[in-house]
Amino acid sequence: MFGAFAIISQSMALYLCILYTGILSFGLWSVISLIYHVRLARTTRLPFVVLPFSLLGAPWQLAQFIVVPVVKSLPEPLTRNWLPFLLFNEFWHNGYEPFERLKSDTFLAVSPGGLILYTCDPDVNVQLFRDGNFGKPVKLMSLLNVYGPTITGTDGPESRLYRKITGPFFSENTLRRVFVQSVSGAKILLDALIRPDAHRQLRTLSARLSLNTLTQIVFNYQTDSDLVQALAFQDNIPDGKTLSYSQALHGLVEVLGVIFLVPHWILRLSPFRSHRRAVACYSELGSYMNRLKQARECTPSEKSTHGTSSDEDLLDLLIQAGASSVDKATPVLTNTQVIGQIFLFMFAGHEANANVLVSIILLLACHPGVQDTMQRDLDRLLGQTPSDTWSYDENYSALMRTTVGAVINEALRLFTVIPVLPKCVLPGGRWLSITVKGQHHPLPPNTIALANTSATHRHPKYWPKRPVSMGRGRRSSWSDIRNDPHQRPFAVADFDPSRWMDAGSADETTQTGSTNFLKPRAGAFIPFSEGGRGCLGRRFALVEVCAVVATLFKTHSVELVIDPGHDSDREEEAWLEARRHAALALSKGTTFDTSLRVSRTVPIKFVPRDNETEK
Ligand code: HEM
């Protein structure tokens, strides 16, 4: 008996000893590393803050779930100068505030894990995007490589190869098709949006529209009838499958982190239904992509066989790169690389568009004055012409120079779908320099650089607050929202499309443009990033969103649903209350995982324009 106790206490002592040694070694390593990195930071001559953890390191990723609630319960003055730099998912919510507090638009965060440069200075953004020596921290982006390497999850010659193969697809011809398809899809969406309670599914409906448009244009797969079914939640599920194409893709996007981190055999054996569903989404989407590829390999699209390369879709380009021919015995891309890009485009090509569309609809519901102005512009430009005669060549550029373009740009400014854009000084490479206010600052290898789009787009110097010009009466006052800290970062109150329309002459904040439409200073408006790793689908996205917004709002308006129980003489109060709730959904209820999205439901309704409720 005593012998057993002795053995147990000996093993306990051993475990404790190992634990203490581990903690001590980690502590010692942290202190030595921190001293080393502080010295390194001094050589850059940039201002810096010292953090206990590295934002991107494994210790913080594991510890934050326990540490953050504890630290957040401390008095704010103790944490506000450092905690915001560790809360990746709150970068959007914090906007420019942390930079303002530090009184610097570019600084380093130093931790035992290394150096991270934070910037919202347009000039520094431009250097990071345009200087090809800065790389991509691919480990951070490798989440997207779940089926094979992707453009986004790779760097250097490999990502350049993928861009070279897929880039030609984004031609004017493609944009023409995007416009027409988006108008047609938007009409189907409108039928769904006027259903009672459609607001509960606003994001799902938008994501399904956007995925269908993408799939029709990029892969010549799916039809408008598939969209009708998908928006009625009566998706077609082929024999042998348990999920439809959109269910599999959207289901996978929700659980991408789990699929990336946990071996799939564990998920299959897990007692949790959500884990088994995650792996089902993964394998069924894989099977949809393989079938799509094989079907096209058997019957290449007419366009590609007739050699009219400008009409080829993206799938043709990928399949050609993955095939051997007389000239090239070894294909340029392997099967895994082809599938990797198919997945990347399915994901990157629809998720952000859907999220932007949702934010535009909700912003317009909160800003009826802006909506009126936009609709007057739509009437002026499109008159009574039927929407199936609208076209990219006739209408797109003209629409983008009116309130339609202003609304889209302003939504992209405030709802930055990707709140930080990561770059890096390559490990094992040479030091790189950035110039801040004329001073050179050398950055050592391994430095991660985060261009903070949310802070850049709220920088008071480049995006000053202006007197409200589109709104009337009490609705033009936003003090109820601005005075409530839960409404940070006040995106609804700050929404001011008119700033894009009446741009004066070029000054420090702008560039000279050919029209009066605002052309922000380089690096100050970066929703699509730019340079060699900028968004390949920028124009695709803009054309799609423009066509959808024009179609929805030419015939219909969106309104906030006000509490039916309000007194008849308190209509205005009830509307302001509804706006407060909507603004809260567009602030506190906005979350960032794979991209920024409004996660809360907002009661809205679409009504025909000739039947609008009195405002
Ligand atoms: C409103 C919609 C969109 C927004 C706001 C957006 C934004 C972005 C941003 C900020 C990046 C750079 C990410 C980074 O540097 O880490 C990016 C990359 C990319 N986007 Fe988009 N995007 C949108 C729509 C699209 C569409 C419609 C497509 C394709 C049809 C697309 C394809 C891509 C691809 C392929 C990349 C990777 C480029 C590379 O890594 O070299 N995007 N997008």
Side-chain angles (χ1 to χ4, degrees):
M1 179 79 176
F2 283 118
F5 272 130
I7 289 169
I8 292 171
S9 56
Q10 266 177 15
S11 342
M12 281 283 283
L14 186 68
Y15 285 136
L16 284 177
C17 186
I18 292 172
L19 190 70
Y20 286 139
T21 317
I23 292 174
L24 218 71
S25 316
F26 180 70
L28 201 66
W29 170 84
S30 298
V31 172
I32 295 170
S33 271
L34 188 61
I35 294 171
Y36 170 74
H37 287 127
V38 167
R39 281 198 181 156
L40 215 50
R42 288 211 173 104
T43 61
T44 69
R45 296 187 307 274
L46 281 167
F48 63 86
V49 279
V50 176
L51 301 180
F53 292 98
S54 165
L55 169 74
L56 306 167
W60 177 243
Q61 296 304 321
L62 295 173
Q64 60 175 316
F65 301 103
I66 303 166
V67 176
V68 171
V70 177
V71 174
K72 275 193 170 174
S73 66
L74 298 172
E76 215 217 333
L78 294 178
T79 59
R80 68 180 171 209
N81 283 341
W82 59 274
L83 187 60
F85 308 119
L86 285 173
L87 303 176
F88 194 86
N89 294 348
E90 291 180 25
F91 279 160
W92 178 78
H93 297 82
N94 287 323
Y96 184 68
E97 274 177 30
F99 291 85
E100 193 171 26
R101 243 181 248 126
L102 281 188
K103 297 189 175 38
S104 181
D105 290 348
T106 303
F107 62 90
L108 287 168
V110 186
S111 72
L115 305 186
I116 299 185
L117 179 91
Y118 289 71
T119 188
C120 63
D121 177 339
D123 296 341
V124 178
N125 290 340
V126 169
Q127 295 168 56
L128 295 176
F129 298 147
R130 296 192 190 162
D131 178 347
N133 292 309
F134 284 100
K136 273 275 177 204
V138 283
K139 262 199 209 151
L140 284 183
M141 320 295 284
S142 56
L143 183 74
L144 293 168
N145 295 349
V146 282
Y147 289 99
T150 60
I151 299 189
T152 317
T154 54
D155 197 22
E158 187 173 0
S159 66
R160 279 200 291 278
L161 172 69
Y162 302 145
R163 282 184 77 101
K164 195 172 153 207
I165 292 167
T166 54
F169 168 68
F170 295 93
S171 63
E172 291 284 295
N173 266 352
T174 298
L175 299 182
R176 288 189 183 101
R177 293 184 52 220
V178 173
F179 193 92
V180 172
Q181 184 54 50
S182 303
V183 170
S184 155
K187 285 193 276 190
I188 301 171
L189 175 68
L190 199 49
D191 287 340
L193 288 177
I194 55 182
R195 291 195 303 245
D197 276 353
H199 66 271
R200 294 189 192 285
Q201 292 138 352
L202 180 63
R203 187 172 181 280
T204 311
L205 295 172
S206 306
R208 286 175 171 219
L209 165 72
S210 189
L211 179 61
N212 180 278
T213 309
L214 185 275
T215 311
Q216 290 207 43
I217 304 289
V218 172
F219 304 116
N220 206 356
Y221 174 57
Q222 299 246 304
T223 60
D224 281 5
S225 318
D226 290 312
L227 179 61
V228 173
Q229 285 181 329
L231 297 191
F233 295 91
Q234 292 165 352
D235 305 50
N236 170 31
I237 303 180
D239 287 345
K241 297 247 183 310
T242 57
L243 300 166
S244 70
Y245 162 63
S246 70
Q247 284 168 340
L249 178 58
H250 290 137
L252 179 68
V253 170
E254 300 294 327
V255 292
L256 206 54
V258 175
I259 284 291
F260 176 71
L261 289 173
V262 186
H264 295 182
W265 64 268
I266 296 185
L267 293 177
R268 265 188 213 102
L269 294 175
S270 164
F272 298 107
R273 228 178 121 243
S274 61
H275 289 170
R276 295 196 301 278
R277 185 177 156 88
V279 87
C281 290
Y282 175 82
S283 74
E284 296 213 2
L285 183 67
S287 146
Y288 276 110
M289 292 193 294
N290 278 317
R291 273 215 223 163
L292 182 66
K293 177 172 174 283
Q294 282 157 12
R296 184 66 65 83
E297 280 165 346
C298 297
T299 12
S301 73
E302 257 192 35
K303 307 153 203 162
S304 86
T305 47
H306 287 100
T308 49
S309 60
S310 61
D311 282 341
E312 287 165 337
D313 68 18
L314 194 101
L315 189 57
D316 288 322
L317 298 176
L318 289 171
I319 284 176
Q320 281 162 26
S324 49
S325 66
V326 187
D327 326 332
K328 47 176 177 82
T330 318
V332 181
L333 297 184
T334 63
N335 182 53
T336 323
Q337 288 173 316
V338 172
I339 295 288
Q341 307 327 304
I342 294 179
F343 170 67
L344 190 273
F345 278 92
M346 277 178 182
F347 166 72
H350 90 283
E351 162 95 352
N353 299 23
N355 293 346
V356 170
L357 181 62
V358 169
S359 54
I360 289 177
I361 290 174
L362 297 179
L363 284 165
L364 289 175
C366 295
H367 287 267
V370 175
Q371 198 177 166
D372 283 349
T373 312
M374 188 179 85
Q375 287 171 326
R376 278 200 298 275
D377 279 350
L378 286 172
D379 293 344
R380 189 171 46 79
L381 273 186
L382 302 167
Q384 296 304 314
T385 51
S387 56
D388 47 14
T389 62
W390 302 348
S391 71
Y392 169 75
D393 292 305
E394 262 316 291
N395 305 115
Y396 171 67
S397 302
L399 285 168
M400 288 302 278
R401 281 195 298 268
T402 66
T403 321
V404 177
V407 162
I408 294 172
N409 278 340
E410 186 67 351
L412 284 167
R413 175 176 86 83
L414 294 166
F415 286 85
T416 50
V417 175
I418 307 183
V420 284
L421 300 171
K423 290 281 188 173
C424 69
V425 184
L426 290 169
R430 60 187 173 82
W431 289 56
L432 298 176
S433 240
I434 52 164
T435 307
V436 183
K437 294 192 184 122
Q439 300 286 316
H440 296 299
H441 299 275
L443 298 175
N446 268 325
T447 304
I448 303 281
L450 301 178
N452 187 316
T453 53
S454 176
T456 305
H457 289 183
R458 291 188 165 84
H459 197 304
K461 182 166 167 195
Y462 308 103
W463 302 101
K465 296 224 168 27
R466 295 151 25 101
V468 177
S469 52
M470 292 184 190
R472 56 197 154 92
R474 289 178 59 191
R475 296 185 183 190
S476 65
S477 160
W478 292 89
S479 51
D480 58 334
I481 288 172
R482 287 204 193 282
N483 294 336
D484 177 359
H486 293 112
Q487 298 271 3
R488 284 170 65 249
F490 310 108
V492 177
D494 287 349
F495 181 69
D496 175 16
S498 69
R499 69 167 70 243
W500 294 86
M501 307 279 297
D502 42 21
S505 51
D507 59 17
E508 222 192 326
T509 66
T510 57
Q511 302 175 44
T512 330
S514 54
T515 64
N516 235 10
F517 203 83
L518 179 69
K519 195 158 185 265
R521 176 197 177 103
F525 182 58
I526 45 171
F528 297 97
S529 186
E530 59 162 274
R533 297 306 299 269
C535 176
L536 269 173
R538 185 180 74 88
R539 290 193 309 154
F540 187 121
L542 290 174
V543 171
E544 178 182 328
V545 176
C546 170
V548 174
V549 168
T551 312
L552 295 183
F553 290 94
K554 179 73 178 70
T555 55
H556 284 69
S557 297
V558 65
E559 293 179 357
L560 292 173
V561 174
I562 56 179
D563 175 10
H566 71 271
D567 297 340
S568 53
D569 56 340
R570 296 181 64 84
E571 177 108 6
E572 197 61 2
E573 274 75 14
W575 189 87
L576 290 171
E577 185 56 26
R579 184 177 75 176
R580 249 192 313 279
H581 277 286
L584 209 56
L586 285 153
S587 49
K588 230 181 163 187
T590 296
T591 54
F592 175 67
D593 34 58
T594 45
S595 67
L596 193 81
R597 67 163 75 164
V598 184
S599 306
R600 274 192 208 167
T601 302
V602 179
I604 51 162
K605 63 178 178 200
F606 270 82
V607 293
R609 273 179 72 195
D610 49 13
N611 186 21
E612 284 172 51
T613 7
E614 279 301 302
K615 290 181 195 131

